[in-house]
């Protein structure tokens, strides 16, 4: 493959931003998960996406400005409208699919692995 068909790795903040925009764009429209963001705890999408740049930058490059408490937020969501295991399975699948659509390389592998780890920890805490 050459030129525009060649996938690059996630090498900088700009690449990460493109990923975040695409992933949360999908979540927003998603039949299974969209309602959490649009109805259960409605987010301001501009604000949410901005915050998620920082979160994912922390996860991949350790440089983001995110300093929230995701576990506390998801526990609160779970109380209002319980997550199911299959919600997380779907989230994981969407995340991996989105990374694979856009990027290929070491950082692409790392971010998928870290996302899965965080997701697993969340599930263990929520479903214990
Ligand atoms: C079933 C899967 C998931 C759903 C439906 C979901 C839904 C949501 C929703 C609705 C919010 C907004 C909460 C609010 O502003 O009150 C949120 C925030 C957030 N989510 Fe998730 N989430 C899921 C899984 C995950 C996973 C696996 C991660 C990490 C890998 C994650 C990371 C975050 C972070 C960092 C925030 C921002 C928390 C803050 O305000 O500081 N989420 N999520």
């Amino acid at each position: 493959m050459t030129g525009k068909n060649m996938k690059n790795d996630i090498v900088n903040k700009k690449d990460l931003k493109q990923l975040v925009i695409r992933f949360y764009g999908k979540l927003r429209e998603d039949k299974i998960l969209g309602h959490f963001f649009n109805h259960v705890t409605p987010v301001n999408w501009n604000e949410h996406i901005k915050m998620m740049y920082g979160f994912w930058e922390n996860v991949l490059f350790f440089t983001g400005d995110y300093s929230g408490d995701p576990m506390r937020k998801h526990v609160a969501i779970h109380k209002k409208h319980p997550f199911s295991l299959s919600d997380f399975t779907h989230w994981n699948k969407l995340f991996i699919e989105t990374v694979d659509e856009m990027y290929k390389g070491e950082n692409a592998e790392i971010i998928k692995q870290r996302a899965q780890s965080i997701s697993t920890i969340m599930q263990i805490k929520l479903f214990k």
Side-chain angles (χ1 to χ4, degrees), residues 36-50:
F36 283 101
F37 298 88
N38 297 316
H39 303 292
V40 179
T41 54
V43 299
N44 173 320
W45 280 99
N46 285 337
E47 297 298 315
H48 188 63
I49 285 173
K50 245 190 256 164

Side-chain angles (χ1 to χ4, degrees), residues 2-127:
T2 54
K4 66 182 176 178
N5 293 326
M6 252 194 18
K7 283 183 195 141
N8 299 311
D9 200 2
I10 305 165
V11 295
N12 54 34
K13 284 201 218 183
K14 193 174 145 275
D15 296 334
L16 205 50
K17 273 195 176 182
Q18 299 304 318
L19 175 66
V20 166
I21 290 168
R22 176 97 71 109
F23 179 60
Y24 291 94
K26 286 189 188 187
L27 279 182
R28 183 177 187 167
E29 307 282 316
D30 191 75
K31 285 201 175 72
I32 297 169
L33 302 178
H35 69 103
F36 283 101
F37 298 88
N38 297 316
H39 303 292
V40 179
T41 54
V43 299
N44 173 320
W45 280 99
N46 285 337
E47 297 298 315
H48 188 63
I49 285 173
K50 245 190 256 164
M51 180 167 48
M52 300 316 282
Y53 293 152
F55 174 76
W56 289 107
E57 204 190 315
N58 260 339
V59 168
L60 188 60
F61 299 130
F62 307 112
T63 54
D65 59 7
Y66 177 78
S67 63
D69 182 351
M71 203 54 233
R72 199 170 56 80
K73 282 280 165 88
H74 293 82
V75 167
I77 298 168
H78 194 57
K79 280 187 185 147
K80 279 195 175 177
H81 183 104
F83 294 109
S84 67
L85 264 178
S86 61
D87 290 333
F88 277 91
T89 309
H90 187 62
W91 188 102
N92 291 347
K93 180 173 159 279
L94 263 187
F95 190 84
I96 290 170
E97 256 174 32
T98 310
V99 174
D100 288 343
E101 265 167 36
M102 301 178 73
Y103 299 109
K104 188 175 172 53
E106 198 176 331
N107 283 339
E109 292 307 312
I110 290 173
I111 202 168
K112 284 186 284 180
Q113 278 170 17
R114 292 191 184 151
Q116 303 299 291
S117 307
I118 300 165
S119 174
T120 302
I121 292 165
M122 265 188 197
Q123 293 173 57
I124 290 169
K125 290 187 176 167
L126 289 171
F127 302 127

